[in-house]
Amino acid sequence: MSNQREINVESKEFRQELRRAALQDLIEKVLIRQELEKRLGGEFTELRDKKISIAEKDTKTLEEAAKLFYGLTLRDFKELVIVPKAERELLEDRLFLEKKKLEHWLSEVVADARVTVLTPEF
């Protein structure tokens, strides 16, 4: 007998929570990118691309995995997963040098962020 509550993925509450989490993720990605652009200036793109190139060494395997696990093309997988992950790691590395944790920095920045959402749902 399981103590876990069954989740109804068709429910309005589930769909709303999923949208809220996706919106939160988008906001965090934008804040991370803005901070990196501010901190790294013209070096941002070069450092990000260098980090991404490490992940893309075996393009064929990566392409197959993206298709198999996510149903995405390599290009879409790169934009949706690899680029944000590389940016997050770059900022995490910079904050580590300042003896700060990304999660703490992110919670502070998100709390101070001013976001306008034009949808009746939120």
Side-chain angles (χ1 to χ4, degrees):
M1 192 161 146
S2 174
N3 289 336
Q4 293 181 346
R5 188 172 61 118
E6 198 169 305
I7 297 172
N8 179 3
V9 296
E10 304 285 327
S11 73
K12 179 181 177 184
E13 293 81 19
F14 179 81
R15 289 192 315 262
Q16 187 173 13
E17 178 57 25
L18 189 59
R19 287 187 183 105
R20 187 210 57 75
L23 180 61
Q24 179 74 22
D25 184 59
L26 288 171
I27 292 167
E28 289 177 4
K29 286 176 183 174
V30 167
L31 293 171
I32 288 170
R33 179 170 286 169
Q34 287 175 345
E35 184 68 16
L36 284 169
E37 288 172 346
K38 184 172 80 176
R39 287 173 177 251
L40 302 175
E43 292 182 272
F44 166 64
T45 304
E46 180 183 338
L47 290 170
R48 181 193 63 200
D49 291 348
K50 185 184 279 188
K51 193 170 240 335
I52 290 169
S53 71
I54 294 167
E56 292 182 319
K57 284 195 182 213
D58 188 355
T59 305
K60 183 74 172 155
T61 302
L62 185 60
E63 186 172 14
E64 290 171 357
K67 184 68 175 166
L68 178 67
F69 292 115
Y70 299 101
L72 297 172
T73 65
L74 181 58
R75 185 172 149 253
D76 289 342
F77 183 74
K78 182 178 174 181
E79 288 303 310
L80 292 170
V81 179
I82 296 174
V83 169
K85 179 69 173 161
E87 290 175 354
R88 189 177 187 95
E89 287 178 6
L90 271 175
L91 183 56
E92 195 168 37
D93 293 346
R94 299 294 163 169
L95 291 170
F96 177 78
L97 295 173
E98 299 170 14
K99 297 183 178 13
K100 295 180 181 176
K101 294 209 176 273
L102 177 67
E103 293 77 22
H104 186 260
W105 175 87
L106 202 50
S107 67
E108 289 176 354
V109 173
V110 166
D112 291 340
R114 299 293 171 246
V115 178
T116 302
V117 180
L118 302 174
T119 176
E121 197 169 348
F122 296 105

